[in-house]
Amino acid sequence: MIRIAITIVFIIVCVTMSALVLMQEGKSQGLGAISGAAETYWGKNKGRSMEGMLVKLTRILAIAFVLLALLLNLSMF
C-alpha cells in the first residue's frame, strides 16, 4: 500500500518537474555576454524573480525525485 502511494507521488514529482523545466528560459546569453551587456538589474536579482523561483522549485523537485527513486528501489526487496 505504501509502495503504491510513493509511486503516485513519484509520478506527480516527475510530471511537475518536467513542466517546470519546460517553463524556464534558456541559459545562453548570446553575444551580450562578451560585452558585459548581460549584467543588468534583472540579471543581478534573478533569485527574486519568477525565473529564480522556477530554478529553486526545480532543484527541490530534483532532490525529491532522487530520494523517491532510491526509496522505491529499496522497497523492492
Side-chain angles (χ1 to χ4, degrees):
M1 186 68 180
I2 298 238
R3 181 165 168 73
I4 294 171
I6 293 173
T7 304
I8 291 170
V9 171
F10 184 70
I11 292 170
I12 292 170
V13 166
C14 291
V15 170
T16 307
M17 189 169 61
S18 298
L20 284 176
V21 168
L22 290 174
M23 288 171 54
Q24 292 180 18
E25 296 177 8
K27 299 294 181 192
S28 63
Q29 297 176 2
L31 293 176
I34 295 173
S35 64
E39 195 62 36
T40 62
Y41 174 77
W42 296 111
K44 291 179 184 176
N45 294 314
K46 205 169 214 178
R48 297 183 196 143
S49 67
M50 183 67 138
E51 180 70 23
M53 186 181 73
L54 290 175
V55 170
K56 288 177 188 177
L57 284 174
T58 304
R59 287 181 185 157
I60 291 169
L61 287 175
I63 292 169
F65 173 83
V66 170
L67 292 176
L68 286 171
L70 288 173
L71 187 64
L72 283 170
N73 189 28
L74 292 175
S75 69
M76 291 180 74
F77 298 112

